[in-house]
Amino acid sequence: MKRFNNQKITDDKVSIHLNNTSTPVHFIDEADIKTLVNKENPSSRVGDVNIPVLEKKIKALPAVDSANVYLNLNGELNLDIKQRIPVFRLSKGEREVFYVDEKGVEFPISKNYSHKCMLVSGDVKPEEYPQLMYLVKKIENDDFCKKYFIGISKRRNNYFLLTSDGHYRVEIGDLDNIDFKIQGFKTFVEKILVYQDPEKYRKISVKYSNQIVTTLNPHFKENDSILAAGRKEMKHASEPEMKSNPSQSERKPKVINREEDKKKENQSGKNKKG
């Protein structure tokens, strides 16, 4: 290789392979890598390029999963680079948004490229990533799930699936028994929801074992009579208890006025004397 030491590494002598799997990603491109190569080797001479240092610099790029840099027998510089593939994009607030790849590695979003993947929001812990990835892949690989679910949110330790209708959320609770919970929602859709207006519901919960709990949408006009009847029934159910057990605030305290008592006693004494 010494015979190539003084040879210039021109663009045609640099071979960059951005190894993408079945899912193409474009966080970095050939221009980015060539800029880095020129920066690390200002002389552009083959003999001056420090392969280990250059490889380490490329691996340090947030969107790079792995890199292999080497010179072939013709003095050409080869760079095989694999980029990270996001499984989901996590938002913990306006200032904390990042991708998570299939290895559970977090890396920042790019100003130049936005990868299409599941959007997740809330205070998700790293230890929850494996189960969350399972849920995301379940949605992506299931035609029924892809039709209904467009996002995932976590609120007060409860997970919700955001729906394409946008009128209701599906509460799944924790990330255990995902297949069972999804099947429960699917059964509810096939037996009930397909015959109703989706706007009727605000929340559909499948977090409980062997039961589905629904919450009506108070802004859906057709629910007015149902909600009114429910409020009336609750009022009637509570009335007997209130009558037999009045609250502390409802009990009228006995007022003791000692001045009035003295006047009554004096008046009584005068009447006896007379």
Side-chain angles (χ1 to χ4, degrees):
M1 297 294 291
K2 289 183 179 180
R3 60 195 171 114
F4 296 113
N5 279 351
N6 292 319
Q7 176 179 294
K8 292 284 187 179
I9 304 178
T10 55
D11 285 348
D12 61 319
K13 296 290 184 180
V14 178
S15 180
I16 301 173
H17 306 282
L18 296 174
N19 300 325
N20 294 324
T21 58
S22 56
T23 304
V25 288
H26 307 285
F27 291 106
I28 56 176
D29 56 25
E30 290 191 14
D32 297 325
I33 301 304
K34 286 181 179 179
T35 299
L36 184 57
V37 170
N38 293 332
K39 182 180 179 181
E40 293 301 313
N41 186 27
S43 69
S44 297
R45 293 172 63 250
V46 171
D48 293 336
V49 64
N50 189 325
I51 298 296
V53 171
L54 178 58
E55 186 174 279
K56 186 176 180 180
K57 290 281 187 180
I58 294 173
K59 287 180 178 178
L61 295 174
V64 171
D65 182 37
S66 63
N68 184 27
V69 181
Y70 60 94
L71 286 167
N72 64 16
L73 296 177
N74 296 320
E76 296 175 339
L77 184 64
N78 289 265
L79 304 97
D80 297 332
I81 301 169
K82 182 181 178 181
Q83 299 183 67
R84 298 191 186 281
I85 301 175
V87 176
F88 57 86
R89 178 171 173 161
L90 178 57
S91 173
K92 289 189 172 184
E94 294 182 3
R95 298 183 180 181
E96 193 175 1
V97 182
F98 50 85
Y99 291 112
V100 177
D101 74 357
E102 54 194 359
K103 296 179 180 178
V105 177
E106 303 170 355
F107 64 102
I109 60 176
S110 170
K111 294 180 180 179
N112 304 318
Y113 171 70
S114 178
H115 186 74
K116 186 178 180 181
C117 58
M118 182 63 68
L119 301 177
V120 182
S121 63
D123 186 23
V124 181
K125 308 299 182 185
E127 55 267 28
E128 296 178 290
Y129 289 170
Q131 285 183 296
L132 189 55
M133 288 180 198
Y134 179 84
L135 173 58
V136 171
K137 290 178 180 179
K138 171 79 176 177
I139 294 173
E140 291 177 345
N141 297 325
D142 184 275
D143 291 335
F144 172 83
C145 291
K146 280 194 294 188
K147 177 182 177 182
Y148 280 92
F149 305 132
I150 60 171
I152 303 169
S153 69
K154 181 184 180 184
R155 300 180 184 179
R156 297 176 184 175
N157 295 321
N158 263 353
Y159 278 91
F160 295 85
L161 301 179
L162 309 182
T163 61
S164 53
D165 283 321
H167 302 298
Y168 62 89
R169 298 172 296 154
V170 178
E171 183 183 33
I172 61 173
D174 57 30
L175 295 172
D176 295 332
N177 303 314
I178 290 299
D179 292 333
F180 182 77
K181 291 172 181 177
I182 294 295
Q183 183 57 45
F185 175 70
K186 186 176 182 180
T187 301
F188 177 80
V189 169
E190 293 173 344
K191 294 185 177 296
I192 298 176
L193 195 61
V194 292
Y195 304 108
Q196 298 179 335
D197 191 324
E199 287 190 50
K200 179 178 180 178
Y201 299 101
R202 184 174 64 183
K203 184 176 72 176
I204 299 170
S205 179
V206 294
K207 66 181 286 186
Y208 307 102
S209 297
N210 300 318
Q211 62 177 320
I212 297 173
V213 180
T214 61
T215 302
L216 295 178
N217 177 7
H219 303 295
F220 185 57
K221 189 171 181 61
E222 292 182 18
N223 287 338
D224 289 349
S225 58
I226 301 175
L227 293 171
R231 287 191 290 267
K232 186 176 181 181
E233 185 175 340
M234 289 178 66
K235 182 179 179 182
H236 287 328
S238 62
E239 279 178 353
E241 183 180 351
M242 289 177 65
K243 288 178 180 178
S244 58
N245 298 297
S247 65
Q248 190 68 28
S249 60
E250 291 175 331
R251 298 191 184 117
K252 294 183 179 180
K254 183 179 180 180
V255 179
I256 300 175
N257 192 319
R258 300 199 178 278
E259 293 297 325
E260 289 292 331
D261 290 344
K262 286 182 179 179
K263 288 181 181 180
K264 289 180 180 179
E265 288 176 2
N266 293 335
Q267 187 64 40
S268 177
K270 289 179 180 179
N271 292 336
K272 286 179 181 180
K273 288 179 180 178

